[in-house]
Amino acid sequence: MSCSLSPGSRSDALQHGTSGTLPHFLQEPDDAYIVKSNPIKLKCRARPALQIFFKCNGEWVHQSQHQSQEHTDEGTGLKIREVMINVSRQQVEDFHGPEDYWCLCVAWSHLGTSKSRKATVRIAYLRKNFEQDPQGREVPIKGMIVLHCRPPEGVPVAEVEWLKNEEPVGSDGNIDTRADHNLIIQEARLSDSGNYTCLASNIVAKRRSLTATVVIFVNGGWSLWTDWSACNVPCGRGVQKRSRTCTNPAPLNGGAFCEGMSVQKSTCLEGSSDVALYSGLAAGVVTVVVLIVAVTLYRRNQSEYGVDVIDSSALTGGFQSFSFKTARQGNPLLISSSLQPDLTVSRTYTSPICFQDSMDKELISQEPSLFDPLPDLKVKVHSSFMVSLGVSERGAEYHAQKAHPQTFPRGLAPDYSGVRVEGTLRERREKSLLAPHAPPTPSRPPLRTSGVLGHAGGRLVVPNTGVSLLVPHGGIAEDTTWEMYMVINQEDSKESQEVLLSPEVTYGPPGLDLSCPVAMTIAHCAEFATDNWNIRLKRQTQDNKWEEVMSVEEESTSCYCLLEAQCCHLLLESPGRYALVGEPLSQEAVKRLRLAVFGSADNTNPLGYSLRVYCVDNTPYAFQEVASVERVRGGRLLEEPKTLLFRGNSFSLQLSIQDIPQFLWSIKPFTTCQEFSFSQVWASNQRPLQCAFSLERYSPASSQLSCKISVRQVKGQEQILQVYTSVVESEKEVVPFFTQSNCTTTSLTGSRAFKIPLSIRQRICATFDTANAKGKDWQLLAQKLHIDRNLCYFARQESPSAVILSLWEAQHQDTGDLDSLASALEEIGKVHSSTHSTSSRATTLTTTGTTTRTTTTLGRSTEELDTEFT
């Protein structure tokens, strides 16, 4: 761009009195931040100025991008020019230089040029997670409180304010909120108890930290002793006493009760009984000594029967149990910010703990490697408040009772001929005037998901089907990757005497070489009871025949099956196609059906309206076909889907429409009642069954339809689907049915796929895989996690604990709740602790020099937890 002035410009400059003056900037561009995708404006104003141009990152901005205005200063007669440009987010993101995106102005007069200051343009943001959340505190009255807060990273830097019970906290002589974002209370008062939240904000957003509960407690103090009471007998040896109360002050907000006796007793004498008195005292002393020796020996024997466990603080990512009722060591507490604490009642919370300062981290760094087995540690609990860990010199034994595997009753031979599925395909082809019809069943493409997995493992998910596959860390050899896949077969199954209870799921590829089992989760539709079902896992062979792998109630070393109410978790070692099938053992066997009613206008009749009722096996996958069909038809869900328990009693399923407004709507004759045969429902093979009711309005003015549809099994359960809808397009409300299940994630790799951080998992395995006489082995872990049947399967694994944890991961993949694992580890640490007396526990707490280590909060991601523990 040429920026020299032409002769005409110089002449124009002389006419405006610019002789002898360089441009002077009245307004220079300011630093700016781009919020979201909104462009920012940079402005310059100079006097006198014939031209002003912007230069950004060393390059001139094109003249067409400038917006300029000019006017003459009435006082001096000099020309004032103002120029503005827009800078977009895209421009800033596309710039890759050694410094931030910058712009400046260059102004010309006939004598020369002047440059403005550089203005930087940055993209504003504020991350979601705080670098450090405040941690709850228990502080004695008049003690100091320091709540740490490090706000999320952001541009511009976030400003911090504190909230107490959702009200702003201001600084005064006792409270300081300005010291590096921390909240400092110099001398705690009872009124300082409450829920504290750190609030960070900049021009982009506001973020709230986790809530920290501060409890100001008062330890009890003894009052003065009362005078000695009178002797309780007029002559001989008697007793007199005096007392004091724990009211100076009384314990408050969980403060410790006074230590010592509240009553003292003393003998009062008459002279004639001195000899007898001293003789009695001597005998009493001997008795007391004998009792003390006996109790000491008893407690020593009992302490040897304690349980040695791992450091539960390190293994559970910071799970600790706390109560507001004993001596304090400043451990943090967290409760919901929406609830105000009742500071007069004892409560116990299980909460994550964070490092408070660098000193705690140094303590952690001095510990052995997290991958090494832990030393024997003894856990003793005092008043459910904190866990004190000390190295045990002597071993302890824990004899875990082995759970007997559950088995179904054999020898049951009911008359079940009416329930067997014979001629299924023939019955499906039968049609009658009143028989409902199934939707057309063209060949459907398989549902498939895949991902490239390596040594770090991962998870494959078929969205919205209840089907997933977990590949544990280390299952694939190092420096090796496999493109793994999962496919749900959508072909019609072969005719069989057994009932298909789940979709047929294939995982591969064939020849997959893994060092440990994978965990597959499949949803099923059986209402399971051991007396009513014999459920088996089957696998398809190379010649397309199905072979039995195992029965879910029997023990097997080839695979493991954990059957829950809605789904089944499988531990598998060979890729292939699997399915759950059921053999009914009695007429009380039950399948769960999902019922749904959809509606749409009749395209062939402007006054017509169609109601379609679907009956499908109650699995997420089976219902996906219904959703797909109705999306194409433009159908609307008119009632929340309901579940019906369909019994294997050979009776049919009847559907009827009732309470139709007689003078507003009509229905086709002979269609108010329809029926599915028993075999159609019982052997539906995950395919939806559908019946339709065609209605017609008498008048276009009738825009509302209300009725109810009864779905009932003869001699079985009934469900009512209530319909109330508008049939006019403009009056229809949006029904959020198809957005209720919006999972699109198909694969997760590495630590993102697991709930338990890798280092924690490895430490649990290192501790529990080695059996010992103290009961601290994988069988105890399985028992506490309620995975204690078919233990022979785990026994043959290289790392039984790792396989148990993989099964636990599969169980909790949806909730992401680590509480059950934390509770199990905590329970292991408390085995037999109830046999110790209160005084023994207090002594242990007093003499133990080890404090529990603090770890990161559970709200953080597993990647962050794993990095910190490593």
Side-chain angles (χ1 to χ4, degrees):
M1 177 185 298
S2 176
C3 297
S4 60
L5 296 178
S6 64
S9 298
R10 292 191 180 94
S11 175
D12 185 59
L14 293 174
Q15 293 176 5
H16 287 80
T18 60
S19 176
T21 305
L22 286 173
H24 171 69
F25 283 98
L26 304 176
Q27 180 181 357
E28 296 183 88
D30 296 322
D31 294 338
Y33 299 94
I34 294 180
V35 179
K36 297 182 180 178
S37 298
N38 301 319
I40 56 96
K41 299 181 184 297
L42 297 179
K43 294 182 180 179
C44 277
R45 192 166 70 248
R47 180 186 63 193
L50 299 177
Q51 292 291 344
I52 301 178
F53 287 99
F54 273 90
K55 179 183 279 190
C56 294
N57 306 314
E59 297 182 358
W60 293 104
V61 178
H62 195 273
Q63 185 174 0
S64 62
Q65 298 179 19
H66 290 73
Q67 303 175 31
S68 60
Q69 296 178 351
E70 65 177 15
H71 64 275
T72 302
D73 189 334
E74 296 180 356
T76 62
L78 299 179
K79 181 181 293 186
I80 299 176
R81 180 173 291 270
E82 180 178 315
V83 176
M84 179 178 65
I85 63 169
N86 292 331
V87 179
S88 68
R89 183 187 184 99
Q90 189 66 42
Q91 290 175 277
V92 178
E93 290 179 342
D94 291 343
F95 174 68
H96 303 284
E99 54 186 345
D100 291 331
Y101 191 100
W102 60 268
C103 294
L104 58 77
C105 295
V106 180
W108 281 265
S109 71
H110 78 288
L111 288 182
T113 62
S114 297
K115 293 183 179 180
S116 72
R117 67 179 294 274
K118 281 185 178 180
T120 59
V121 180
R122 304 176 67 185
I123 296 176
Y125 68 92
L126 184 61
R127 300 200 184 281
K128 292 184 178 180
N129 296 326
F130 277 69
E131 295 185 4
Q132 183 178 8
D133 287 293
Q135 299 296 307
R137 304 281 293 174
E138 289 179 322
V139 182
I141 193 167
K142 296 186 179 180
M144 176 181 285
I145 302 173
V146 179
L147 297 181
H148 299 277
C149 176
R150 293 174 59 192
E153 178 186 347
V155 172
V157 176
E159 297 180 354
V160 170
E161 65 174 313
W162 285 88
L163 303 178
K164 174 193 171 185
N165 300 332
E166 303 302 321
E167 295 294 332
V169 177
S171 297
D172 57 25
N174 190 44
I175 300 178
D176 183 5
T177 61
R178 298 169 295 176
D180 194 23
H181 307 313
N182 298 330
L183 174 66
I184 300 176
I185 301 178
Q186 300 292 341
E187 190 172 295
R189 301 157 296 193
L190 287 176
S191 60
D192 292 325
S193 297
N195 292 320
Y196 287 82
T197 307
C198 183
L199 186 65
S201 62
N202 66 5
I203 59 176
V204 178
K206 290 184 178 181
R207 308 288 187 214
R208 293 172 60 95
S209 71
L210 297 177
T211 297
T213 298
V214 173
V215 177
I216 311 301
F217 63 89
V218 178
N219 290 325
W222 289 114
S223 65
L224 297 176
W225 288 103
T226 62
D227 294 333
W228 287 101
S229 65
C231 194
N232 64 343
V233 293
C235 62
R237 185 178 61 183
V239 176
Q240 59 180 171
K241 62 181 180 180
R242 64 176 182 173
S243 62
R244 57 180 178 174
T245 58
C246 188
T247 56
N248 187 31
L252 186 63
N253 294 344
F257 195 79
C258 303
E259 295 183 359
M261 297 181 297
S262 61
V263 177
Q264 282 185 344
K265 295 182 179 180
S266 175
T267 56
C268 45
L269 312 173
E270 293 296 331
S272 61
S273 59
D274 287 352
V275 175
L277 171 64
Y278 289 120
S279 299
L281 287 176
V285 169
V286 172
T287 303
V288 170
V289 170
V290 172
L291 288 175
I292 291 175
V293 172
V295 170
T296 301
L297 292 176
Y298 173 77
R299 288 180 177 172
R300 182 175 300 173
N301 291 334
Q302 290 298 313
S303 65
E304 294 177 358
Y305 194 67
V307 58
D308 294 346
V309 299
I310 57 180
D311 182 344
S312 60
S313 171
L315 291 181
T316 61
F319 301 98
Q320 293 293 340
S321 293
F322 301 98
S323 171
F324 292 167
K325 282 292 183 184
T326 58
R328 300 303 195 275
Q329 293 190 6
N331 290 321
L333 299 169
L334 294 178
I335 60 176
S336 172
S337 61
S338 63
L339 300 176
Q340 302 304 318
D342 183 354
L343 303 178
T344 63
V345 179
S346 172
R347 290 196 178 102
T348 300
Y349 299 95
T350 299
S351 304
I353 315 174
C354 260
F355 290 120
Q356 291 286 339
D357 49 43
S358 59
M359 183 179 297
D360 294 327
K361 296 182 181 179
E362 292 173 1
L363 291 174
I364 293 299
S365 66
Q366 297 171 4
E367 295 293 331
S369 169
L370 289 175
F371 298 98
D372 298 335
L374 294 177
D376 290 334
L377 299 175
K378 181 175 295 181
V379 175
K380 296 190 177 182
V381 181
H382 179 59
S383 300
S384 302
F385 171 66
M386 60 178 295
V387 178
S388 179
L389 298 176
V391 178
S392 169
E393 297 179 357
R394 304 189 59 178
E397 295 182 357
Y398 179 77
H399 303 282
Q401 293 185 354
K402 220 172 185 181
H404 296 287
Q406 299 179 359
T407 56
F408 288 116
R410 297 301 182 186
L412 180 63
D415 181 8
Y416 207 65
S417 59
V419 180
R420 299 205 171 196
V421 182
E422 298 182 2
T424 302
L425 298 181
R426 175 182 59 81
E427 288 183 338
R428 280 190 173 184
R429 296 190 186 99
E430 291 179 354
K431 295 184 179 179
S432 65
L433 180 64
L434 301 181
H437 61 280
T441 57
S443 177
R444 296 174 293 171
L447 294 176
R448 178 187 176 96
T449 185
S450 63
V452 178
L453 304 182
H455 185 70
R459 190 190 303 270
L460 298 180
V461 179
V462 182
N464 305 324
T465 62
V467 176
S468 65
L469 183 75
L470 181 75
V471 180
H473 179 277
I476 300 175
E478 293 187 16
D479 302 324
T480 303
T481 58
W482 287 90
E483 183 177 3
M484 298 186 63
Y485 62 83
M486 258 198 322
V487 179
I488 299 180
N489 176 39
Q490 295 187 280
E491 303 169 358
D492 284 331
S493 301
K494 302 298 182 182
E495 186 173 350
S496 172
Q497 297 293 334
E498 297 173 314
V499 181
L500 184 64
L501 299 176
S502 76
E504 298 173 6
V505 181
T506 304
Y507 88 92
L512 180 66
D513 185 17
L514 298 179
S515 62
C516 59
V518 299
M520 178 186 288
T521 298
I522 307 178
H524 67 82
C525 61
E527 193 73 6
F528 181 68
T530 56
D531 294 336
N532 302 329
W533 282 106
N534 180 14
I535 298 179
R536 300 184 180 93
L537 175 66
K538 288 200 170 185
R539 182 174 184 267
Q540 193 176 48
T541 61
Q542 293 182 352
D543 56 355
N544 293 329
K545 294 183 179 179
W546 288 89
E547 63 179 6
E548 181 175 336
V549 179
M550 69 173 295
S551 177
V552 297
E553 76 269 24
E554 297 176 352
E555 295 194 354
S556 170
T557 58
S558 61
C559 68
Y560 190 97
C561 181
L562 178 62
L563 191 67
E564 295 183 335
Q566 304 289 334
C567 62
C568 182
H569 306 288
L570 305 170
L571 293 176
L572 305 172
E573 299 177 12
S574 301
R577 178 179 292 182
Y578 295 86
L580 285 177
V581 298
E583 177 188 2
L585 301 179
S586 72
Q587 296 192 12
E588 298 302 317
V590 172
K591 272 181 59 174
R592 295 190 310 274
L593 300 181
R594 181 176 291 188
L595 311 175
V597 55
F598 290 80
S600 64
D602 188 347
N603 295 328
T604 62
N605 182 359
L607 298 179
Y609 195 81
S610 176
L611 295 177
R612 294 175 297 278
V613 181
Y614 291 89
C615 302
V616 65
D617 290 349
N618 189 23
T619 63
Y621 157 71
F623 202 60
Q624 283 303 302
E625 184 172 356
V626 175
S628 300
V629 170
E630 286 300 322
R631 284 191 186 98
V632 175
R633 289 180 172 177
R636 297 172 60 247
L637 182 68
L638 303 181
E639 164 75 313
E640 191 71 17
K642 294 187 177 181
T643 300
L644 183 139
L645 301 181
F646 189 80
R647 296 172 54 197
N649 58 9
S650 73
F651 289 99
S652 61
L653 188 70
Q654 297 179 346
L655 301 91
S656 61
I657 187 169
Q658 305 168 8
D659 298 340
I660 302 174
Q662 296 182 358
F663 301 101
L664 301 177
W665 290 86
S666 64
I667 186 171
K668 288 185 178 180
F670 308 108
T671 61
T672 56
C673 295
Q674 303 184 39
E675 185 173 18
F676 291 118
S677 68
F678 171 80
S679 59
Q680 283 181 294
V681 180
W682 196 247
S684 61
N685 290 335
Q686 306 288 309
R687 300 301 300 271
L689 301 175
Q690 172 200 332
C691 72
F693 300 96
S694 296
L695 296 92
E696 184 175 356
R697 292 177 287 170
Y698 289 116
S699 168
S702 302
S703 62
Q704 301 293 325
L705 171 62
S706 64
C707 62
K708 63 182 181 181
I709 298 173
S710 169
V711 183
R712 62 179 292 269
Q713 183 186 18
V714 178
K715 296 187 178 180
Q717 192 182 46
E718 179 183 26
Q719 287 285 9
I720 299 295
L721 299 175
Q722 186 68 49
V723 175
Y724 185 82
T725 184
S726 171
V727 298
V728 179
E729 288 293 331
S730 61
E731 296 180 4
K732 289 182 179 179
E733 297 180 356
V734 178
V735 179
F737 167 64
F738 293 122
T739 61
Q740 288 178 351
S741 189
N742 196 25
C743 174
T744 58
T745 302
T746 58
S747 66
L748 293 171
T749 59
S751 59
R752 295 182 302 134
F754 305 98
K755 307 301 180 186
I756 308 173
L758 174 60
S759 58
I760 304 300
R761 177 188 179 95
Q762 290 174 321
R763 190 165 190 184
I764 294 175
C765 295
T767 303
F768 287 97
D769 275 348
T770 304
N772 54 53
K774 303 162 190 174
K776 188 177 62 181
D777 59 12
W778 61 266
Q779 295 187 43
L780 178 59
L781 177 64
Q783 181 189 32
K784 297 305 179 184
L785 293 179
H786 309 290
I787 310 176
D788 55 344
R789 59 175 301 273
N790 197 9
L791 295 180
C792 58
Y793 177 82
F794 299 111
R796 60 180 288 270
Q797 303 297 325
E798 180 179 353
S799 174
S801 300
V803 180
I804 291 170
L805 293 179
S806 296
L807 189 58
W808 184 93
E809 288 268 7
Q811 280 185 282
H812 299 83
Q813 59 181 305
D814 294 327
T815 62
D817 186 5
L818 293 171
D819 285 349
S820 63
L821 179 61
S823 299
L825 296 174
E826 185 180 19
E827 186 177 355
I828 292 173
K830 292 181 179 179
V831 172
H832 300 303
S833 63
S834 60
T835 60
H836 298 285
S837 65
T838 303
S839 61
S840 175
R841 292 198 297 267
T843 302
T844 302
L845 278 174
T846 303
T847 58
T848 300
T850 305
T851 57
T852 56
R853 297 179 300 180
T854 56
T855 58
T856 54
T857 60
L858 292 178
R860 296 166 60 189
S861 66
T862 56
E863 294 95 332
E864 293 172 312
L865 282 169
D866 195 37
T867 300
E868 179 166 289
F869 274 94
T870 304

